[in-house]
Each structure stands twice: as structure tokens, then as C-alpha cells.
Amino acid sequence: EPEVTQTPSHQVTQMGQEVILRCVPISNHLYFYWYRQILGQKVEFLVSFYNNEISEKSEIFDDQFSVERPDGSNFTLKIRSTKLEDSAMYFCASSVTPEQYFGPGTRLTVT
Amino acid sequence: RKEVEQDPGPFNVPEGATVAFNCTYSNSASQSFFWYRQDCRKEPKLLMSVYSSGNEDGRFTAQLNRASQYISLLIRDSKLSDSATYLCVVPRGSGGSNYKLTFGKGTLLTVNP
């Protein structure tokens, strides 16, 4: 069964550093998403991406965040200058119907 | 009313028990709903989609009451492997099949031997 994959599984970075989280969506999916989950809290929408552009973004997704689909398979989330409060689990998801399928997540720890 | 609100739980039930979770949503225009399950520190996994009044899949039944803006998930004959957090999820469309998912906080279920 096809799956969404994400790398790395855990990223530790210092405040102010840039990080890039990588995702490989399911191959025939058209819509791509990033969500985050701070420990103990609910899953929150960050951004959706379709046809090589952002469809919608939340207020969390400020100028420090960007997304890119650099080739036919990868989908990346970049955080330009990380803050302590960016520490969370970041999930990539993809879909072709309303149902979204999630990757295993990248745990980002900002120290 | 919050966008998506769930029973806070936790629920502790013995194996074989029947358990039900409730969820209310605020957007009366919502047409579809999902239940996901999430194991500790893992990704949400799709359990059921609800597009009409309800859906059944084996031991799991989801029911929708549009007038009350209420969704429920019933698990019959609980197994140890059902222990997880159950997430009520309401999609909001932004064109085509592009949806933003709004998650509830989840209800933790522990099934005991």
C-alpha cells in the first residue's frame, strides 16, 4: 500500500537556524499539506498546496515558513529562523479525494 | 461553539465493551466528516469517512446528525488494539478536492484486559 514518507524522523536545531523538512507524498496524489502538533495539543493545519502553488495557509504559516515542490516527488517545508515555539511534530499529508493520508512525521526540537 | 469539540475522556473500558465517542461541530455547511485514530507519538490514520447519515465498517459505526451538528463513533467488542486517541475531523473545502482539516482535541481510549 502506498505511503507518505517523511525525513528526518527527528531534527534537533538551535534557535535561529533554518530547517528543511522533507516529504514524499503518495505518487498519484494532487494535493499536499503540512500540519503540526505541539506535544499534548491538537493537530493544526499549516498550509495546503496544489498545482505548484499555495492554496490556503493558516495564521501560523507566517513569513518564516515556505513550501516547495522542487521536483515531481518531494514536498518540503522550510522554517527560515526557528523559534523555541516551533518545537512540534510536523506531519505531511497528501490526497486526491477529501481523505488525507499522513506521513509518520518529523519531530522538530528547537533548543 | 468551538469548530470541533469532542468528549474529553479518557475512556477506560474492558475488552469486549461497547464504547461511544461524541463530537460536535460549528460549521453547518460541512458536508463530510472523518474519524482518525492516533497512537501515541504517531501520525493520524484514517478510520472512517462519513458523507451521509452514517457509515459502518465491522465493529465501527459512525453516525451523523446534521440538525444537531453532531457526529458519533461507536466501537463494539473493543479489542486491546483499539487503545488510541480518536480524532473527530471536519474538512473545509477550498476548491476541488482541496480541503483544510480541522481536528478535535481527541478522546483517549484505553481498553483493558
Side-chain angles (χ1 to χ4, degrees):
Chain A
E1 188 177 310
E3 298 181 326
V4 176
T5 59
Q6 289 185 243
T7 53
S9 56
H10 192 188
Q11 173 91 50
V12 182
T13 190
Q14 288 192 322
M15 203 166 52
Q17 295 298 302
E18 176 183 286
V19 293
I20 298 176
L21 310 184
R22 291 184 166 80
C23 169
V24 178
I26 294 172
S27 62
N28 65 329
H29 283 189
L30 301 175
Y31 304 96
F32 313 115
Y33 311 86
W34 285 99
Y35 291 82
R36 80 169 186 192
Q37 187 174 30
I38 294 170
L39 190 63
Q41 297 188 24
K42 64 182 181 177
V43 178
E44 299 175 288
F45 170 81
L46 291 178
V47 66
S48 60
F49 191 86
Y50 169 69
N51 204 22
N52 281 318
E53 59 183 30
I54 290 174
S55 309
E56 186 172 354
K57 56 185 180 180
S58 71
E59 55 192 35
I60 302 167
F61 194 90
D62 63 22
D63 292 344
Q64 294 302 309
F65 290 85
S66 62
V67 290
E68 197 178 30
R69 188 153 162 83
D71 53 44
S73 58
N74 290 284
F75 180 50
T76 61
L77 174 70
K78 183 194 289 187
I79 309 175
R80 230 177 308 277
S81 177
T82 49
K83 306 184 190 69
L84 293 175
E85 54 265 36
D86 293 329
S87 294
M89 193 75 156
Y90 288 80
F91 293 110
C92 173
S94 70
S95 70
V96 66
T97 62
E99 286 84 353
Q100 295 179 21
Y101 296 88
F102 285 75
T106 294
R107 179 164 299 284
L108 177 64
T109 303
V110 183
T111 63
Chain B
R1 177 183 265 183
K2 287 183 185 173
E3 279 195 86
V4 182
E5 197 153 9
Q6 295 187 240
D7 281 337
F11 284 66
N12 283 281
V13 302
E15 265 187 294
T18 296
V19 61
F21 307 131
N22 300 319
C23 173
T24 56
Y25 60 94
S26 62
N27 185 358
S28 59
S30 296
Q31 294 296 307
S32 56
F33 308 88
F34 305 127
W35 284 100
Y36 280 75
R37 68 169 278 166
Q38 186 175 30
D39 294 293
C40 189
R41 296 181 177 251
K42 301 283 189 184
E43 74 272 28
K45 292 193 179 198
L46 181 65
L47 183 65
M48 295 187 80
S49 306
V50 186
Y51 287 97
S52 56
S53 60
N55 193 7
E56 185 170 329
D57 182 6
R59 298 181 295 108
F60 298 85
T61 302
Q63 290 193 314
L64 168 63
N65 182 323
R66 289 189 193 276
S68 304
Q69 294 176 217
Y70 165 94
I71 316 150
S72 64
L73 177 69
L74 183 80
I75 306 176
R76 288 181 297 277
D77 188 23
S78 301
K79 312 287 185 200
L80 296 176
S81 56
D82 294 334
S83 297
T85 297
Y86 289 83
L87 307 174
C88 177
V89 181
V90 181
R92 184 171 59 77
S94 54
S97 287
N98 193 352
Y99 289 84
K100 163 192 167 181
L101 299 185
T102 300
F103 286 77
K105 287 186 175 179
T107 304
L108 177 62
L109 171 68
T110 303
V111 181
N112 302 303

